[in-house]
Amino acid sequence: MTAGMGIWMLLVVLTVVAVLVLATLGSVWFYRRLRGRQPDGATVTGRDDEDPARRKLRERFAAGEIDEQEYESRLSALTHWR
């Protein structure tokens, strides 16, 4: 009788561990997917990041050469131009 209960306990423990592992992997995947998005909708590693005009615009904004309104205006123009 006790040997049968041991097998069931082992199955329960393995099931709980499998659920925890899957939940952790799913959370990591979801976090990486959300983190890979920029405010303008471009991905960090996508084609938009390779666009020299967008890169230069981000650099100018980061350096303080243009304000937020100018940045948004030019980004919008670049987005509609593509």
Side-chain angles (χ1 to χ4, degrees):
M1 177 100 175
T2 58
M5 288 179 61
I7 292 173
W8 285 109
M9 289 296 281
L10 180 63
L11 286 175
V12 168
V13 169
L14 290 177
T15 302
V16 169
V17 169
V19 168
L20 290 175
V21 167
L22 288 175
T24 302
L25 291 175
S27 297
V28 169
W29 173 81
F30 187 71
Y31 175 76
R32 286 183 178 176
R33 184 159 175 102
L34 285 179
R35 190 162 183 230
R37 299 274 177 203
Q38 296 294 324
D40 62 355
T43 59
V44 173
T45 58
R47 262 181 51 185
D48 290 339
D49 194 43
E50 299 169 4
D51 185 8
R54 288 177 190 259
R55 185 173 42 246
K56 180 68 174 174
L57 184 61
R58 281 193 300 271
E59 289 171 2
R60 291 187 63 201
F61 179 63
E65 296 175 15
I66 59 175
D67 61 5
E68 186 176 358
Q69 184 179 8
E70 182 72 17
Y71 173 78
E72 293 293 333
S73 172
R74 290 181 183 218
L75 183 62
S76 176
L78 285 173
T79 303
H80 292 291
W81 179 70
R82 284 186 105 191

